[in-house]
């Protein structure tokens, strides 16, 4: 339990330092990008990449209704791919380490919230009444 609090404190401290240096709101910048990363087709792409990197079970835990298994920065990089990380750096203006650290914190919950039924929604489908 103590380690989780320490990581949270560490993350908040890092966010504070990055925000003070860049004069921006890291959480807002990253959360805006999370919307694009958590579309049904993008979640499927994340899952495919995770499978290729041997991390599929981790991403499936975010999709399922069970607890989210945390990811390390290296695992987030493997799941997203260097091109996506580079695009996020370009879009946010943040250093890659700050982007990846923020995604370690936010991506599992964002995927979880966008898969409330515990399964990957089909791309382009809408809920019917």
């Amino acid at each position: 339990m103590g380690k989780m609090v320490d990581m949270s404190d560490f993350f908040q401290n890092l966010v504070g330092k990055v925000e003070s240096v860049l004069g921006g709101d890291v959480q807002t910048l990253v959360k805006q990008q999370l919307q694009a990363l958590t579309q049904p087709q993008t979640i499927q792409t994340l899952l495919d990449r995770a499978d290729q990197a041997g991390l599929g079970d981790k991403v499936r835990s975010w999709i399922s209704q069970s607890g989210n298994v945390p990811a390390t920065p290296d695992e987030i990089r493997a799941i997203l791919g260097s091109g996506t990380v580079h695009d996020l750096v370009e879009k946010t203006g943040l250093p890659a380490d700050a982007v990846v650290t923020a995604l370690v914190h936010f991506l599992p919950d964002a995927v979880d919230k966008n898969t409330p039924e515990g399964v990957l929604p089909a791309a382009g489908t809408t809920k019917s009444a």
Side-chain angles (χ1 to χ4, degrees):
M1 194 62 89
K3 184 173 181 165
M4 195 61 133
V5 171
D6 293 344
M7 280 306 290
S8 180
D9 290 345
F10 169 78
F11 177 74
Q12 290 301 325
N13 189 28
L14 178 67
V15 168
K17 285 181 181 177
V18 171
E19 286 175 353
S20 67
V21 169
L22 298 176
D25 183 348
V26 174
Q27 291 186 33
T28 300
L29 290 169
V30 172
K31 285 182 178 179
Q32 288 170 349
Q33 299 309 313
L34 280 174
Q35 291 176 356
L37 289 174
T38 55
Q39 299 302 310
Q41 65 274 17
T42 311
I43 294 173
Q44 182 61 58
T45 301
L46 292 177
L47 183 56
D48 292 344
R49 285 186 186 156
D51 281 337
Q52 291 170 2
L55 300 167
D57 289 344
K58 197 160 284 209
V59 174
R60 281 183 186 83
S61 79
W62 307 344
I63 295 168
S64 76
Q65 292 179 318
S66 61
N68 295 337
V69 176
T72 66
D74 286 342
E75 290 170 338
I76 290 292
R77 287 178 193 274
I79 292 167
L80 292 179
S82 59
T84 300
V85 172
H86 179 75
D87 289 347
L88 292 170
V89 167
E90 292 288 314
K91 289 176 182 172
T92 63
L94 300 171
D97 287 344
V99 170
V100 171
T101 301
L103 289 173
V104 164
H105 194 73
F106 296 123
L107 186 59
D109 286 340
V111 170
D112 193 29
K113 285 185 174 93
N114 282 282
T115 54
E117 302 298 319
V119 294
L120 191 62
T125 60
T126 57
K127 291 185 177 181
S128 56

